[in-house]
Amino acid sequence: MTPSSQSVAIRPIGPSDRDTVRTILGDSWNQTQIATHGVLHDAAELAGYVAEIGAQPAGLITYSPDEDGWEIITLNATVAGHGVGTMLLRAVEEAARAAGAARLWLITTNENVHALRFYQRRGFDLVALHRDAVTRARAELKPSIPLEVDGIALRHEIELERLLS
């Protein structure tokens, strides 16, 4: 059976997945530390879900519950065209609802038009622009954040949410 004909399996990250998690995060983000809203997260240590097609990793989502809901920290689909990102997002949404969370939320950056389109198409709403938050994070938390991506200055955080109630 070829990977394209196999179904996607979603399961919680387990202790034996930590190397896979670090590899996916490293390949996607160049490291495991992710700055969001003034906090530096080690995404490799967070709760989340992995997606697999057969025995091969196909994606990863990490999240951090807080008093304001569940924050999605990372979402990576390493295999395109299978709905992996959407399935991972649904898994976290179901878990957040079951835990009684009021909302699912995330931060993306001003140049990430792909993420803005992806999340809005899945029911997330733009709720805040945090002007120069990336500039501050670069100065205070994570100097490795690039100054620009695809010719767009990387300066602001955009907050999106999906209400769960």
Side-chain angles (χ1 to χ4, degrees):
M1 185 176 276
T2 64
S4 62
S5 65
Q6 293 179 342
S7 63
V8 178
I10 307 292
R11 62 178 175 73
I13 295 170
S16 65
D17 295 312
R18 291 302 167 187
D19 287 341
T20 299
V21 168
R22 282 185 179 81
T23 298
I24 291 172
L25 292 170
D27 290 348
S28 300
W29 304 94
N30 297 321
Q31 57 186 304
T32 64
Q33 293 191 332
I34 307 294
T36 65
H37 213 52
V39 176
L40 192 60
H41 303 272
D42 184 352
E45 299 301 321
L46 295 175
Y49 292 87
V50 293
E52 296 174 323
I53 298 176
Q56 297 302 310
L60 167 72
I61 191 167
T62 62
Y63 63 88
S64 179
D66 67 15
E67 68 281 349
D68 194 33
W70 284 26
E71 181 183 6
I72 296 169
I73 306 299
T74 65
L75 174 58
N76 304 95
T78 60
V79 176
H82 292 272
V84 170
T86 300
M87 286 185 254
L88 287 165
L89 197 57
R90 282 189 197 134
V92 171
E93 181 178 340
E94 288 172 16
R97 279 183 195 278
R103 75 179 189 138
L104 198 55
W105 66 283
L106 62 101
I107 297 291
T108 192
T109 49
N110 62 282
E111 93 303 342
N112 197 343
V113 294
H114 176 74
L116 290 168
R117 180 175 52 249
F118 175 85
Y119 288 113
Q120 288 179 85
R121 289 178 70 187
R122 284 148 186 88
F124 282 74
D125 192 21
L126 300 168
V127 294
L129 169 69
H130 303 284
R131 290 184 56 82
D132 292 313
V134 177
T135 304
R136 285 189 299 280
R138 187 181 300 111
E140 299 168 6
L141 297 173
K142 189 176 169 186
S144 62
I145 297 172
L147 294 172
E148 67 176 43
V149 174
D150 293 331
I152 301 172
L154 186 49
R155 295 179 43 207
H156 314 298
E157 290 182 343
I158 298 172
E159 185 174 337
L160 295 100
E161 75 175 5
R162 181 171 176 155
L163 298 177
L164 301 177
S165 49

